[in-house]
Amino acid sequence: MPSESTYPPIDIPDTDIWGLLFERKNKEYPDDKVIYFDPYTSRSYTFAQVKSTAIDFGKGLKALWDWQKGDVLALFTPNCIDTPAITWGCHWAGGILSPANPGYTVDELAFQLKDSGAKALVTQMPFIKVAMEAAKRVGIPENRVIVMGDGRDSSGAVKHFTSIRNISGTQRYRRTKMKSNEDLAFLVYSSGTTGHPKGVMLTHRNIVANVLMLRAGESGNLKWNGGPNNEGDKVLAFLPFFHIYGLTCLIHQSLYTGLQLVVMPKFDIEEFCKIVQNHKITFSYVVPPVILLLSKHPIVEKYDLSSIRMVNSGAAPLTKELVEALYSRLRIPVKQGYGLSETSPTTHTQPWEDWNRTIGAVGRLLPNQTAKYMSADEKEVPAGETGELWIKGPNVFKGYLNNPEMTAHALTADGYFKTGDVGHQDKEGNFYITDRVKELIKYKGFQVPPAELEGILASHPHVNDVAVIGVYNKDQATEVPRAYIVPANGLGKGEKEAREIIEWMNAKVAGHKKLRGGIRFVEEIPKSVSGKILRRVLKVMAEKEGEEVRAKL
């Protein structure tokens, strides 16, 4: 039988995102509370300022560009405190927001603009050249590319979003009402392991449900003072707002709960430490590579990070070794959560009080969902046995844009989403995610999860970072695990050092998990902006190495 959430069901109102955030009667904090704060400029937005700016921007969209329900506004920018007001201004006008990675090339951005059918594009001045070229390619007029943030176009050719807000004669415009269960709020693009990113269609109800589900899961236990609350907690936000994790867990959750979000445009280890110390940050949503840096990087010693009550890790599997390494060094507890773009995103989170009792678990199923683990032949497996996680709930997406075939493959007839993630649950209802279905290494019929091996290797004193992939061994006619390692300073990169780490590792794992593919030392591990290891890049490297070896024979 599928697992039901152990949380009591919650009431999900029939409202769009605007109604949830700005028209509710039970807001627990005053309108003049600062919600978004820029530590570099000290610029900020209170709740009231976000609301009025969003309304003005929404009216400007309707007046200037005849904005219609369902029109798509693309956002091509690093984190910025203007993002929330622009997002909800787009929603006020009935639009759909499609955030894009500011690291995209012209080709990559043009693909998303064309695929989403974007009618306009918002960016920042450092990215204007790429934005303009991509817009030109897909037929978005130059006057529909505008900028946000602190920079301005000195020539005046590119409008700032504040000028869109300040158009006269907009009083007659009213908010566009949305059907929460049908109308899209976001088109986020999920990078697949192959091919172009997929447009994930998220409705207003998906996001409304997930905000309320996450709030229920983060309410916590009194001995931990509960989860982050509106009575002084400050959350450091560096996870990208263009990714669903930052979009829901940071932008939406902060305004709904009344948390102050201290916004970094992108992660930098020293800036992170400096801001925590100077602004007395109490909480942060992070990814495993950040936990690794905090537990190993020498710069951390220079700063006082004692204000942090806890951090929550997501986006990729977090191992027991990393949790213990961070707590041992800084006494900062780490709890874990889990979710996907297709689930808006959060489906599971560890209760605050359970962080050290269920290390390695992604937590419990949030309310209003059911889940089950399925075998390769799509039969449900019992608790304790490994399978692919399938999830059903009001947070599950509507489908992939312009891709009915992939949608049909991902969603079952009875509404379950096939996550592609492998794991199990224990008898107490704690869920564990060990790897992606496609990333499991198949060694002579045994399944080897790369994340498990990475967790062990990361605890080695001479390893700064690591990724494990499967490489095909012709002699044994099977995949074997190979580790790509960023060595700690002072460690040689020769055969002797590799052999020492392999022997240390092989003593800690079962026979089928040994590093039969050897070790390669590298300068850095390729990762996505959300912290996921880009194994496909390493597989290309491995292929080239194999070709070079064959060429010498």
Side-chain angles (χ1 to χ4, degrees), residues 258-470:
L259 300 169
Q260 185 175 122
L261 211 61
V262 180
V263 178
M264 292 175 72
K266 63 178 182 178
F267 182 77
D268 173 87
I269 184 63
E270 185 153 21
E271 287 295 315
F272 177 96
C273 294
K274 197 183 293 181
I275 292 169
V276 168
Q277 176 179 283
N278 294 347
H279 293 272
K280 298 289 184 283
I281 300 295
T282 60
F283 191 87
S284 190
Y285 286 90
V286 301
V287 289
V290 172
I291 304 282
L292 185 69
L293 283 170
L294 289 171
S295 60
K296 293 207 168 200
H297 202 290
I299 205 84
V300 174
E301 300 292 347
K302 288 172 51 182
Y303 295 92
D304 176 9
L305 308 186
S306 61
S307 61
I308 298 182
R309 291 204 282 135
M310 180 169 271
V311 295
N312 185 97
S313 181
L318 181 68
T319 58
K320 187 171 189 273
E321 290 80 8
L322 272 181
V323 174
E324 290 173 343
L326 181 62
Y327 191 73
S328 170
R329 185 183 196 188
L330 295 174
R331 286 292 180 265
I332 294 175
V334 186
K335 78 182 188 72
Q336 201 172 177
Y338 171 77
L340 308 100
S341 298
E342 292 88 345
T343 54
S344 305
T346 314
T347 60
H348 297 71
T349 192
Q350 271 181 298
W352 280 57
E353 63 275 13
D354 275 5
W355 78 271
N356 61 350
R357 192 178 67 81
T358 57
I359 291 179
V362 296
R364 294 169 183 260
L365 193 62
L366 289 177
N368 297 47
Q369 299 176 104
T370 56
K372 52 189 178 182
Y373 282 103
M374 305 293 282
S375 65
D377 57 356
E378 301 199 344
K379 300 281 193 301
E380 189 174 353
V381 301
E385 288 190 23
T386 299
E388 180 189 359
L389 180 61
W390 291 14
I391 295 173
K392 182 178 182 179
N395 50 315
V396 170
F397 75 135
K398 195 171 183 175
Y400 296 113
L401 183 70
N402 305 327
N403 204 328
E405 188 181 336
M406 195 167 275
T407 300
H409 181 72
L411 291 170
T412 66
D414 58 346
Y416 278 93
F417 169 59
K418 303 174 184 180
T419 67
D421 285 322
V422 173
H424 64 275
Q425 65 172 310
D426 64 21
K427 289 182 170 57
E428 294 180 2
N430 299 297
F431 283 67
Y432 293 79
I433 299 296
T434 48
D435 236 305
R436 293 287 294 166
V437 169
K438 291 176 181 172
E439 290 173 356
L440 290 173
I441 299 164
K442 304 285 178 57
Y443 173 73
K444 293 185 176 177
F446 291 98
Q447 292 189 333
V448 181
E452 179 189 339
L453 305 191
E454 288 156 1
I456 298 167
L457 285 163
S459 68
H460 191 285
H462 292 148
V463 174
N464 263 352
D465 203 357
V466 59
V468 174
I469 62 168

Side-chain angles (χ1 to χ4, degrees), residues 115-174:
D115 192 65
S116 66
K119 295 288 197 309
L121 175 61
V122 186
T123 188
Q124 290 198 52
M125 283 309 297
F127 306 90
I128 193 68
K129 190 176 174 187
V130 172
M132 281 294 194
E133 180 59 34
K136 184 179 176 183
R137 280 198 197 175
V138 300
I140 294 175
E142 280 191 9
N143 66 355
R144 287 200 174 202
V145 179
I146 59 174
V147 293
M148 61 194 285
D150 298 297
R152 299 285 197 282
D153 178 16
S154 55
S155 73
V158 182
K159 286 189 172 70
H160 194 266
F161 92 99
T162 48
S163 65
I164 304 294
R165 285 168 47 202
N166 296 331
I167 294 171
S168 59
T170 59
Q171 289 76 13
R172 63 193 176 90
Y173 292 105
R174 296 288 175 265

